[in-house]
PDB file of all heavy atoms in Angstrom:
ATOM      1  N   ARG A   1       0.211 -49.784   2.594  1.00 95.00           N
ATOM      2  CA  ARG A   1       0.710 -49.177   3.796  1.00 95.00           C
ATOM      3  C   ARG A   1       0.087 -47.738   4.065  1.00 95.00           C
ATOM      4  O   ARG A   1       0.533 -47.139   5.065  1.00 95.00           O
ATOM      5  CB  ARG A   1       2.305 -48.989   3.556  1.00 95.00           C
ATOM      6  CG  ARG A   1       3.099 -50.300   3.531  1.00 95.00           C
ATOM      7  CD  ARG A   1       2.861 -51.154   4.756  1.00 95.00           C
ATOM      8  NE  ARG A   1       3.631 -52.424   4.678  1.00 95.00           N
ATOM      9  CZ  ARG A   1       4.756 -52.613   5.195  1.00 95.00           C
ATOM     10  NH1 ARG A   1       5.316 -51.579   5.867  1.00 95.00           N
ATOM     11  NH2 ARG A   1       5.424 -53.666   5.109  1.00 95.00           N
ATOM     12  N   GLY A   2      -0.849 -47.393   3.287  1.00 96.00           N
ATOM     13  CA  GLY A   2      -1.488 -46.080   3.565  1.00 96.00           C
ATOM     14  C   GLY A   2      -0.558 -44.776   3.377  1.00 96.00           C
ATOM     15  O   GLY A   2      -0.691 -43.877   4.030  1.00 96.00           O
ATOM     16  N   LEU A   3       0.320 -44.958   2.307  1.00 96.00           N
ATOM     17  CA  LEU A   3       1.334 -43.966   2.061  1.00 96.00           C
ATOM     18  C   LEU A   3       0.946 -43.023   0.942  1.00 96.00           C
ATOM     19  O   LEU A   3       1.749 -42.274   0.409  1.00 96.00           O
ATOM     20  CB  LEU A   3       2.612 -44.594   1.832  1.00 96.00           C
ATOM     21  CG  LEU A   3       3.324 -45.214   3.035  1.00 96.00           C
ATOM     22  CD1 LEU A   3       4.442 -46.090   2.602  1.00 96.00           C
ATOM     23  CD2 LEU A   3       3.667 -44.214   4.120  1.00 96.00           C
ATOM     24  N   GLN A   4      -0.245 -43.116   0.410  1.00 97.00           N
ATOM     25  CA  GLN A   4      -0.614 -42.298  -0.771  1.00 97.00           C
ATOM     26  C   GLN A   4      -0.411 -40.814  -0.537  1.00 97.00           C
ATOM     27  O   GLN A   4       0.141 -40.161  -1.352  1.00 97.00           O
ATOM     28  CB  GLN A   4      -2.116 -42.514  -1.187  1.00 97.00           C
ATOM     29  CG  GLN A   4      -2.445 -43.994  -1.587  1.00 97.00           C
ATOM     30  CD  GLN A   4      -3.028 -44.816  -0.499  1.00 97.00           C
ATOM     31  OE1 GLN A   4      -2.563 -44.602   0.652  1.00 97.00           O
ATOM     32  NE2 GLN A   4      -3.969 -45.509  -0.832  1.00 97.00           N
ATOM     33  N   LYS A   5      -0.842 -40.253   0.610  1.00 97.00           N
ATOM     34  CA  LYS A   5      -0.765 -38.893   0.914  1.00 97.00           C
ATOM     35  C   LYS A   5       0.817 -38.477   1.137  1.00 97.00           C
ATOM     36  O   LYS A   5       1.239 -37.486   0.588  1.00 97.00           O
ATOM     37  CB  LYS A   5      -1.494 -38.539   2.143  1.00 97.00           C
ATOM     38  CG  LYS A   5      -1.450 -37.052   2.439  1.00 97.00           C
ATOM     39  CD  LYS A   5      -2.383 -36.727   3.631  1.00 97.00           C
ATOM     40  CE  LYS A   5      -2.290 -35.279   4.057  1.00 97.00           C
ATOM     41  NZ  LYS A   5      -3.257 -34.896   5.192  1.00 97.00           N
ATOM     42  N   ASN A   6       1.429 -39.350   1.835  1.00 97.00           N
ATOM     43  CA  ASN A   6       2.921 -39.111   2.039  1.00 97.00           C
ATOM     44  C   ASN A   6       3.600 -39.043   0.776  1.00 97.00           C
ATOM     45  O   ASN A   6       4.590 -38.210   0.508  1.00 97.00           O
ATOM     46  CB  ASN A   6       3.574 -40.100   3.080  1.00 97.00           C
ATOM     47  CG  ASN A   6       2.815 -40.118   4.330  1.00 97.00           C
ATOM     48  OD1 ASN A   6       1.633 -40.595   4.386  1.00 97.00           O
ATOM     49  ND2 ASN A   6       3.390 -39.615   5.437  1.00 97.00           N
ATOM     50  N   TRP A   7       3.291 -40.064  -0.054  1.00 98.00           N
ATOM     51  CA  TRP A   7       3.951 -40.125  -1.363  1.00 98.00           C
ATOM     52  C   TRP A   7       3.730 -38.885  -2.253  1.00 98.00           C
ATOM     53  O   TRP A   7       4.629 -38.354  -2.876  1.00 98.00           O
ATOM     54  CB  TRP A   7       3.648 -41.408  -2.092  1.00 98.00           C
ATOM     55  CG  TRP A   7       4.408 -41.698  -3.262  1.00 98.00           C
ATOM     56  CD1 TRP A   7       4.282 -41.284  -4.557  1.00 98.00           C
ATOM     57  CD2 TRP A   7       5.650 -42.460  -3.206  1.00 98.00           C
ATOM     58  NE1 TRP A   7       5.344 -41.818  -5.366  1.00 98.00           N
ATOM     59  CE2 TRP A   7       6.175 -42.655  -4.573  1.00 98.00           C
ATOM     60  CE3 TRP A   7       6.252 -43.255  -2.236  1.00 98.00           C
ATOM     61  CZ2 TRP A   7       7.251 -43.432  -4.896  1.00 98.00           C
ATOM     62  CZ3 TRP A   7       7.347 -44.037  -2.566  1.00 98.00           C
ATOM     63  CH2 TRP A   7       7.960 -43.983  -3.911  1.00 98.00           C
ATOM     64  N   ALA A   8       2.487 -38.392  -2.342  1.00 98.00           N
ATOM     65  CA  ALA A   8       2.138 -37.235  -3.044  1.00 98.00           C
ATOM     66  C   ALA A   8       2.834 -35.981  -2.511  1.00 98.00           C
ATOM     67  O   ALA A   8       3.383 -35.178  -3.314  1.00 98.00           O
ATOM     68  CB  ALA A   8       0.620 -37.094  -2.963  1.00 98.00           C
ATOM     69  N   GLN A   9       2.912 -35.853  -1.147  1.00 98.00           N
ATOM     70  CA  GLN A   9       3.634 -34.711  -0.640  1.00 98.00           C
ATOM     71  C   GLN A   9       5.084 -34.707  -0.977  1.00 98.00           C
ATOM     72  O   GLN A   9       5.703 -33.691  -1.267  1.00 98.00           O
ATOM     73  CB  GLN A   9       3.388 -34.632   0.888  1.00 98.00           C
ATOM     74  CG  GLN A   9       2.022 -34.366   1.294  1.00 98.00           C
ATOM     75  CD  GLN A   9       1.848 -34.398   2.882  1.00 98.00           C
ATOM     76  OE1 GLN A   9       2.671 -35.041   3.552  1.00 98.00           O
ATOM     77  NE2 GLN A   9       0.729 -33.925   3.306  1.00 98.00           N
ATOM     78  N   MET A  10       5.762 -35.904  -0.941  1.00 98.00           N
ATOM     79  CA  MET A  10       7.150 -36.073  -1.243  1.00 98.00           C
ATOM     80  C   MET A  10       7.381 -35.582  -2.759  1.00 98.00           C
ATOM     81  O   MET A  10       8.323 -34.905  -2.980  1.00 98.00           O
ATOM     82  CB  MET A  10       7.573 -37.476  -1.067  1.00 98.00           C
ATOM     83  CG  MET A  10       9.083 -37.706  -1.374  1.00 98.00           C
ATOM     84  SD  MET A  10       9.425 -39.466  -1.553  1.00 98.00           S
ATOM     85  CE  MET A  10       8.278 -40.000  -2.912  1.00 98.00           C
ATOM     86  N   LEU A  11       6.573 -36.037  -3.603  1.00 98.00           N
ATOM     87  CA  LEU A  11       6.606 -35.722  -5.054  1.00 98.00           C
ATOM     88  C   LEU A  11       6.431 -34.291  -5.179  1.00 98.00           C
ATOM     89  O   LEU A  11       7.191 -33.634  -6.056  1.00 98.00           O
ATOM     90  CB  LEU A  11       5.629 -36.515  -5.870  1.00 98.00           C
ATOM     91  CG  LEU A  11       5.851 -38.013  -6.078  1.00 98.00           C
ATOM     92  CD1 LEU A  11       4.744 -38.582  -6.885  1.00 98.00           C
ATOM     93  CD2 LEU A  11       7.168 -38.256  -6.711  1.00 98.00           C
ATOM     94  N   ASP A  12       5.618 -33.629  -4.527  1.00 98.00           N
ATOM     95  CA  ASP A  12       5.391 -32.186  -4.613  1.00 98.00           C
ATOM     96  C   ASP A  12       6.675 -31.456  -4.176  1.00 98.00           C
ATOM     97  O   ASP A  12       7.017 -30.417  -4.818  1.00 98.00           O
ATOM     98  CB  ASP A  12       4.200 -31.682  -3.726  1.00 98.00           C
ATOM     99  CG  ASP A  12       2.843 -32.120  -4.286  1.00 98.00           C
ATOM    100  OD1 ASP A  12       2.750 -32.420  -5.452  1.00 98.00           O
ATOM    101  OD2 ASP A  12       1.951 -32.126  -3.506  1.00 98.00           O
ATOM    102  N   THR A  13       7.264 -31.913  -3.180  1.00 98.00           N
ATOM    103  CA  THR A  13       8.561 -31.330  -2.716  1.00 98.00           C
ATOM    104  C   THR A  13       9.661 -31.345  -3.726  1.00 98.00           C
ATOM    105  O   THR A  13      10.378 -30.425  -4.093  1.00 98.00           O
ATOM    106  CB  THR A  13       9.057 -31.843  -1.388  1.00 98.00           C
ATOM    107  OG1 THR A  13       8.043 -31.686  -0.391  1.00 98.00           O
ATOM    108  CG2 THR A  13      10.289 -31.120  -0.943  1.00 98.00           C
ATOM    109  N   PHE A  14       9.769 -32.595  -4.337  1.00 98.00           N
ATOM    110  CA  PHE A  14      10.792 -32.780  -5.426  1.00 98.00           C
ATOM    111  C   PHE A  14      10.495 -31.859  -6.602  1.00 98.00           C
ATOM    112  O   PHE A  14      11.333 -31.362  -7.254  1.00 98.00           O
ATOM    113  CB  PHE A  14      10.796 -34.148  -5.874  1.00 98.00           C
ATOM    114  CG  PHE A  14      11.800 -35.127  -5.056  1.00 98.00           C
ATOM    115  CD1 PHE A  14      11.332 -35.762  -3.984  1.00 98.00           C
ATOM    116  CD2 PHE A  14      13.026 -35.154  -5.362  1.00 98.00           C
ATOM    117  CE1 PHE A  14      12.228 -36.609  -3.251  1.00 98.00           C
ATOM    118  CE2 PHE A  14      14.030 -35.924  -4.704  1.00 98.00           C
ATOM    119  CZ  PHE A  14      13.600 -36.651  -3.554  1.00 98.00           C
ATOM    120  N   ARG A  15       9.128 -31.837  -6.926  1.00 98.00           N
ATOM    121  CA  ARG A  15       8.766 -30.977  -8.084  1.00 98.00           C
ATOM    122  C   ARG A  15       9.069 -29.529  -7.849  1.00 98.00           C
ATOM    123  O   ARG A  15       9.643 -28.800  -8.774  1.00 98.00           O
ATOM    124  CB  ARG A  15       7.366 -31.160  -8.387  1.00 98.00           C
ATOM    125  CG  ARG A  15       6.806 -30.388  -9.491  1.00 98.00           C
ATOM    126  CD  ARG A  15       5.360 -30.783  -9.852  1.00 98.00           C
ATOM    127  NE  ARG A  15       4.790 -30.017 -10.929  1.00 98.00           N
ATOM    128  CZ  ARG A  15       4.015 -30.459 -11.909  1.00 98.00           C
ATOM    129  NH1 ARG A  15       3.453 -31.757 -11.746  1.00 98.00           N
ATOM    130  NH2 ARG A  15       3.452 -29.717 -12.741  1.00 98.00           N
ATOM    131  N   GLU A  16       8.795 -28.951  -6.601  1.00 97.00           N
ATOM    132  CA  GLU A  16       9.095 -27.654  -6.363  1.00 97.00           C
ATOM    133  C   GLU A  16      10.574 -27.377  -6.441  1.00 97.00           C
ATOM    134  O   GLU A  16      11.148 -26.384  -6.951  1.00 97.00           O
ATOM    135  CB  GLU A  16       8.560 -27.292  -4.989  1.00 97.00           C
ATOM    136  CG  GLU A  16       6.989 -27.130  -5.061  1.00 97.00           C
ATOM    137  CD  GLU A  16       6.500 -26.933  -3.596  1.00 97.00           C
ATOM    138  OE1 GLU A  16       7.316 -26.817  -2.651  1.00 97.00           O
ATOM    139  OE2 GLU A  16       5.310 -27.061  -3.468  1.00 97.00           O
ATOM    140  N   ALA A  17      11.359 -28.206  -5.900  1.00 97.00           N
ATOM    141  CA  ALA A  17      12.851 -28.074  -5.918  1.00 97.00           C
ATOM    142  C   ALA A  17      13.399 -28.170  -7.320  1.00 97.00           C
ATOM    143  O   ALA A  17      14.338 -27.352  -7.586  1.00 97.00           O
ATOM    144  CB  ALA A  17      13.528 -29.211  -5.117  1.00 97.00           C
ATOM    145  N   ALA A  18      12.941 -29.059  -8.137  1.00 97.00           N
ATOM    146  CA  ALA A  18      13.374 -29.143  -9.485  1.00 97.00           C
ATOM    147  C   ALA A  18      12.894 -27.943 -10.375  1.00 97.00           C
ATOM    148  O   ALA A  18      13.564 -27.700 -11.368  1.00 97.00           O
ATOM    149  CB  ALA A  18      12.927 -30.457 -10.133  1.00 97.00           C
ATOM    150  N   ALA A  19      11.904 -27.261  -9.959  1.00 97.00           N
ATOM    151  CA  ALA A  19      11.383 -26.080 -10.729  1.00 97.00           C
ATOM    152  C   ALA A  19      12.058 -24.819 -10.487  1.00 97.00           C
ATOM    153  O   ALA A  19      11.871 -23.888 -11.192  1.00 97.00           O
ATOM    154  CB  ALA A  19       9.869 -26.036 -10.494  1.00 97.00           C
ATOM    155  N   LEU A  20      12.917 -24.761  -9.411  1.00 96.00           N
ATOM    156  CA  LEU A  20      13.595 -23.490  -9.177  1.00 96.00           C
ATOM    157  C   LEU A  20      14.409 -23.116 -10.301  1.00 96.00           C
ATOM    158  O   LEU A  20      15.264 -23.943 -10.763  1.00 96.00           O
ATOM    159  CB  LEU A  20      14.497 -23.656  -7.858  1.00 96.00           C
ATOM    160  CG  LEU A  20      13.794 -23.908  -6.494  1.00 96.00           C
ATOM    161  CD1 LEU A  20      14.732 -24.123  -5.401  1.00 96.00           C
ATOM    162  CD2 LEU A  20      12.844 -22.790  -6.200  1.00 96.00           C
ATOM    163  N   SER A  21      14.361 -21.892 -10.795  1.00 95.00           N
ATOM    164  CA  SER A  21      15.054 -21.468 -11.957  1.00 95.00           C
ATOM    165  C   SER A  21      15.331 -19.949 -11.917  1.00 95.00           C
ATOM    166  O   SER A  21      14.670 -19.199 -12.612  1.00 95.00           O
ATOM    167  CB  SER A  21      14.359 -21.835 -13.212  1.00 95.00           C
ATOM    168  OG  SER A  21      15.041 -21.543 -14.376  1.00 95.00           O
ATOM    169  N   PRO A  22      16.183 -19.493 -11.088  1.00 94.00           N
ATOM    170  CA  PRO A  22      16.486 -18.031 -11.049  1.00 94.00           C
ATOM    171  C   PRO A  22      17.193 -17.584 -12.341  1.00 94.00           C
ATOM    172  O   PRO A  22      17.857 -18.334 -12.982  1.00 94.00           O
ATOM    173  CB  PRO A  22      17.478 -17.896  -9.848  1.00 94.00           C
ATOM    174  CG  PRO A  22      18.091 -19.287  -9.676  1.00 94.00           C
ATOM    175  CD  PRO A  22      17.060 -20.204 -10.173  1.00 94.00           C
ATOM    176  N   TRP A  23      17.004 -16.346 -12.715  1.00 92.00           N
ATOM    177  CA  TRP A  23      17.593 -15.771 -13.884  1.00 92.00           C
ATOM    178  C   TRP A  23      19.169 -15.828 -13.765  1.00 92.00           C
ATOM    179  O   TRP A  23      19.841 -16.129 -14.617  1.00 92.00           O
ATOM    180  CB  TRP A  23      17.067 -14.395 -14.221  1.00 92.00           C
ATOM    181  CG  TRP A  23      17.589 -13.904 -15.485  1.00 92.00           C
ATOM    182  CD1 TRP A  23      17.282 -14.404 -16.724  1.00 92.00           C
ATOM    183  CD2 TRP A  23      18.351 -12.601 -15.669  1.00 92.00           C
ATOM    184  NE1 TRP A  23      17.911 -13.610 -17.639  1.00 92.00           N
ATOM    185  CE2 TRP A  23      18.581 -12.510 -16.994  1.00 92.00           C
ATOM    186  CE3 TRP A  23      18.835 -11.668 -14.889  1.00 92.00           C
ATOM    187  CZ2 TRP A  23      19.299 -11.451 -17.660  1.00 92.00           C
ATOM    188  CZ3 TRP A  23      19.558 -10.618 -15.398  1.00 92.00           C
ATOM    189  CH2 TRP A  23      19.722 -10.563 -16.761  1.00 92.00           C
ATOM    190  N   VAL A  24      19.603 -15.400 -12.527  1.00 93.00           N
ATOM    191  CA  VAL A  24      21.031 -15.472 -12.258  1.00 93.00           C
ATOM    192  C   VAL A  24      21.113 -16.028 -10.883  1.00 93.00           C
ATOM    193  O   VAL A  24      20.502 -15.594  -9.929  1.00 93.00           O
ATOM    194  CB  VAL A  24      21.727 -14.021 -12.246  1.00 93.00           C
ATOM    195  CG1 VAL A  24      23.099 -14.118 -11.766  1.00 93.00           C
ATOM    196  CG2 VAL A  24      21.599 -13.448 -13.591  1.00 93.00           C
ATOM    197  N   VAL A  25      22.014 -17.111 -10.804  1.00 95.00           N
ATOM    198  CA  VAL A  25      22.095 -17.809  -9.475  1.00 95.00           C
ATOM    199  C   VAL A  25      23.083 -16.925  -8.608  1.00 95.00           C
ATOM    200  O   VAL A  25      24.227 -16.654  -8.946  1.00 95.00           O
ATOM    201  CB  VAL A  25      22.768 -19.232  -9.625  1.00 95.00           C
ATOM    202  CG1 VAL A  25      22.979 -19.782  -8.355  1.00 95.00           C
ATOM    203  CG2 VAL A  25      21.840 -20.052 -10.493  1.00 95.00           C
ATOM    204  N   VAL A  26      22.595 -16.576  -7.389  1.00 94.00           N
ATOM    205  CA  VAL A  26      23.295 -15.741  -6.454  1.00 94.00           C
ATOM    206  C   VAL A  26      23.607 -16.550  -5.199  1.00 94.00           C
ATOM    207  O   VAL A  26      22.630 -17.113  -4.675  1.00 94.00           O
ATOM    208  CB  VAL A  26      22.594 -14.417  -6.208  1.00 94.00           C
ATOM    209  CG1 VAL A  26      23.385 -13.524  -5.174  1.00 94.00           C
ATOM    210  CG2 VAL A  26      22.374 -13.662  -7.423  1.00 94.00           C
TER     211      VAL A  26
END
């Protein structure tokens, strides 16, 4: 379906979201 780029971009977003780690959550 030609979704390699879309899939990679989606994974990047999930990775960035999961990596958020503030010292104190405000």
Side-chain angles (χ1 to χ4, degrees):
R1 297 301 183 96
L3 289 169
Q4 297 95 322
K5 184 177 179 179
N6 303 72
W7 194 271
Q9 290 176 344
M10 177 196 64
L11 288 179
D12 287 341
T13 302
F14 271 97
R15 179 171 180 149
E16 291 173 5
L20 294 176
S21 184
W23 187 58
V24 176
V25 177
V26 179

